[in-house]
Amino acid sequence: MQTIKIWLTTSDQKHLLDEVKIDELVGLAYREEFKVVVNPDKKYQIMDGFGASFTDASAYLVYHKLSDEKRKEVMEKLFDREKGIGISFLRQPMGATDYTTKIYSYDDLPEGVEEDRELKYFSIDHDRKYIIPLLKEALRINPQLKIMASPWSAPGWMKTTGSMIGGSLLRRYYDVYAQYFVKFIKAYESEGIPIYAITVQNEPLYVPKEYPGMKMDWVEQADFIGDYLGPAFEKEGIKTKILTYDHNWDNTTYAAYVLSHEKASKYVAGSAWHFYGGKHEAMSKIKEMFHDKEIWFTEGSGGDWVPAFFNAYMDQMMHVIRIPRNWSKTVVWWNIALDEKRGPTILSNSTCRGLIEINQKTGEVKYNLDYYTLGHISKFVLPGAYRIDSYTYLDRLETVAFENPDGTKVLIISNRTQTNKKVSVIEQQAEIFEIVLPSYASVTVVWR
């Protein structure tokens, strides 16, 4: 006998990742019937995990603005699979981003010192205050958690602007910057935090005016990886994966150049992607060109540009399904937590939304829609799961399916239309279950 469990989110917010009995989704009136065939014999990529980022702002809020008891509850609701959504992947900024309490790198120089080729001033002390304690706690709650890291900028003294804002990396510091990555990985490992992967530069084709960023074109990135970073990792025996690009779907030239580069390609495990431009299929295009290289989706934020709840919920459920269907091993949202003013931030106007909102005055915690959309995949699909084949009906009834290492199957279904739909799910020519999925609703179904 199959045990079938179902979790439901509806656009009217009556259900937010609620476990429901199959009977509740059987007798409803419906307009159309759909057949979804799940084929576990046809396997695709192995999943690494799902999550978000403990930016400096997020970590500051969770560590400093919550009571011990409330922090424990929040961390469990984030990282524990039974009590919460079981986040299994974190993308950690290396130094300051736009969501930070101050601008900092790991090698900021005292006044009067112009450069530090030996990296004598290298230190992760800033992160020891509240970022590292939270990462350790997250790893304790979920030992399967993988952590990757991405810099928004090299230390200012290595750059054309002399600042973490604007500019690009001076070629005379390529060797030093490679050692900066080595030191960071070793420093974090000595704290008991292994770094699974790094990207070389967050959004390398965009140079922000208000916050740390750094232009690095594909020629520069390939040279940096091929001649400096790759060899430095090799020499030090560092197994951390190197990922290229880390920017939007609207450019495939960047990843293709680095992945086909004579020197860089052997050091690069694959490419990383964001969703602020272009279409999901860009990832499949790169996968078709480079079969032996993997795909990671590393950043997509909720924010005021897609109104909550309905539009943002429908938009994010589309991403939860289409991102893995286009070969990504991860789905990663942006800030774990922001406050009631969409901060702390150095932006003059912040429009991003965190998975949770922490009110700085009251300490009250609100779980945003981003928490529930991520939960539809992170709570049920385990690291090491295979994506398996499933029928999908674009813009009507979309699906993605997985087989966990323990043999359980997971199917996420999103009804993208205004009418209820009857769905028959078939595996190996036998019907597993039948439900009626309400309009603009999503379910995650787990069976064994």
Side-chain angles (χ1 to χ4, degrees):
M1 180 68 191
Q2 300 271 7
T3 38
I4 293 163
K5 294 185 158 194
I6 300 180
W7 283 262
L8 171 70
T9 299
T10 52
S11 56
D12 61 10
Q13 302 181 59
K14 283 186 180 152
H15 290 281
L16 293 169
L17 202 58
D18 291 334
E19 190 172 359
V20 295
K21 292 199 164 40
I22 198 161
D23 316 354
E24 296 176 53
L25 297 175
V26 172
L28 306 170
Y30 60 90
R31 282 269 181 89
E32 294 173 283
E33 294 188 42
F34 286 82
K35 184 193 286 186
V36 174
V37 176
V38 175
N39 180 5
D41 294 331
K42 196 167 183 189
K43 291 182 167 65
Y44 300 92
Q45 76 274 29
I46 295 174
M47 306 309 294
D48 269 346
F50 314 92
S53 296
F54 257 132
T55 55
D56 184 61
S58 296
Y60 170 81
L61 290 170
V62 172
Y63 195 81
H64 284 300
K65 296 297 169 180
L66 299 176
S67 66
D68 291 355
E69 196 181 334
K70 194 71 181 167
R71 186 185 321 117
K72 180 177 183 288
E73 179 195 306
V74 163
M75 290 295 283
E76 284 175 344
K77 285 196 77 169
L78 289 167
F79 295 97
D80 188 296
R81 194 161 269 114
E82 299 304 316
K83 295 176 183 170
I85 61 168
I87 283 176
S88 50
F89 198 93
L90 286 174
R91 175 180 179 234
Q92 285 308 114
M94 289 172 60
T97 67
D98 34 348
Y99 289 91
T100 190
T101 52
K102 67 172 200 173
I103 293 180
Y104 74 99
S105 78
Y106 299 125
D107 200 283
D108 295 328
L109 304 183
E111 210 153 317
V113 179
E114 285 182 8
E115 64 169 14
D116 179 21
R117 294 198 73 90
E118 282 77 53
L119 299 175
K120 290 197 297 271
Y121 295 101
F122 183 93
S123 167
I124 59 164
D125 281 353
H126 176 280
D127 294 7
R128 285 196 176 97
K129 292 174 204 154
Y130 43 84
I131 296 171
I132 286 171
L134 289 176
L135 297 183
K136 287 180 177 175
E137 177 62 7
L139 279 162
R140 189 192 63 73
I141 298 168
N142 186 358
Q144 285 186 297
L145 180 71
K146 287 185 171 82
I147 295 169
M148 71 168 289
S150 304
W152 266 238
S153 170
W157 57 269
M158 295 187 193
K159 294 170 62 188
T160 53
T161 50
S163 159
M164 285 185 74
I165 297 175
S168 55
L169 184 64
L170 291 161
R171 283 200 172 244
R172 69 172 179 270
Y173 291 122
Y174 276 25
D175 57 336
V176 186
Y177 196 42
Q179 290 306 314
Y180 180 87
F181 279 89
V182 169
K183 274 189 169 294
F184 166 78
I185 289 164
K186 288 186 168 180
Y188 259 65
E189 281 183 352
S190 71
E191 291 285 343
I193 301 167
I195 301 298
Y196 170 71
I198 58 100
T199 60
V200 179
Q201 173 60 39
N202 172 66
E203 300 188 343
L205 297 176
Y206 176 62
V207 185
K209 292 185 169 61
E210 282 190 308
Y211 62 90
M214 189 167 85
K215 177 81 185 290
M216 184 183 264
D217 67 31
W218 48 82
V219 175
E220 291 168 320
Q221 187 159 117
D223 289 351
F224 175 66
I225 295 169
D227 292 329
Y228 300 95
L229 189 63
F233 277 21
E234 205 167 52
K235 187 178 172 215
E236 298 289 340
I238 287 172
K239 297 286 181 268
T240 300
K241 292 178 191 296
I242 298 172
L243 319 185
T244 186
Y245 192 44
D246 209 11
H247 209 162
N248 296 334
W249 294 321
D250 55 11
N251 181 315
T252 50
T253 308
Y254 199 118
Y257 180 88
V258 178
L259 292 172
S260 58
H261 188 269
E262 191 187 0
K263 288 184 178 173
S265 62
K266 71 170 182 176
Y267 298 114
V268 178
S271 50
W273 302 83
H274 299 184
F275 71 18
Y276 310 110
K279 292 192 162 66
H280 307 79
E281 290 75 20
M283 298 185 292
S284 287
K285 185 179 167 184
I286 290 295
K287 184 68 179 174
E288 280 160 31
M289 290 166 70
F290 305 94
H291 296 294
D292 60 333
K293 302 296 186 185
E294 304 284 4
I295 302 282
W296 287 265
F297 177 84
T298 49
E299 188 192 309
S301 184
D304 298 341
W305 56 91
V306 183
F309 181 90
F310 176 82
N311 299 62
Y313 158 65
M314 293 306 295
D315 187 57
Q316 287 185 13
M317 285 312 300
M318 172 186 71
H319 291 310
V320 162
I321 288 170
R322 291 187 193 174
I323 287 169
R325 284 195 78 96
N326 285 278
W327 289 100
S328 178
K329 295 164 73 65
T330 50
V331 177
V332 183
W333 293 164
W334 181 209
N335 289 279
I336 279 182
L338 290 175
D339 66 18
E340 71 281 10
K341 292 178 179 164
R342 303 269 199 259
T345 180
I346 50 178
L347 296 170
S348 46
N349 177 35
S350 167
T351 55
C352 283
R353 187 178 54 241
L355 265 59
I356 61 175
E357 182 181 295
I358 296 174
N359 189 298
Q360 290 227 45
K361 293 192 181 74
T362 65
E364 187 192 346
V365 177
K366 184 173 121 198
Y367 290 82
N368 289 325
L369 69 100
D370 318 70
Y371 173 86
Y372 299 107
T373 54
L374 184 69
H376 264 284
I377 194 165
S378 61
K379 186 176 173 69
F380 310 104
V381 180
L382 306 174
Y386 274 97
R387 177 169 74 87
I388 55 176
D389 204 49
S390 64
Y391 285 12
T392 194
Y393 302 88
L394 207 62
D395 293 324
R396 291 186 294 159
L397 188 90
E398 299 198 11
T399 79
V400 65
F402 305 89
E403 184 173 11
N404 278 321
D406 65 2
T408 53
K409 313 286 193 318
V410 181
L411 178 67
I412 303 169
I413 315 173
S414 174
N415 181 354
R416 301 192 59 75
T417 71
Q418 61 186 3
T419 58
N420 295 1
K421 302 203 175 337
K422 184 180 183 182
V423 186
S424 311
V425 175
I426 292 150
E427 184 193 352
Q428 283 155 348
Q429 297 172 333
E431 185 173 279
I432 307 289
F433 62 89
E434 211 173 61
I435 57 169
V436 176
L437 188 54
S439 63
Y440 302 124
S442 308
V443 285
T444 299
V445 189
V446 182
W447 72 93
R448 142 188 318 280

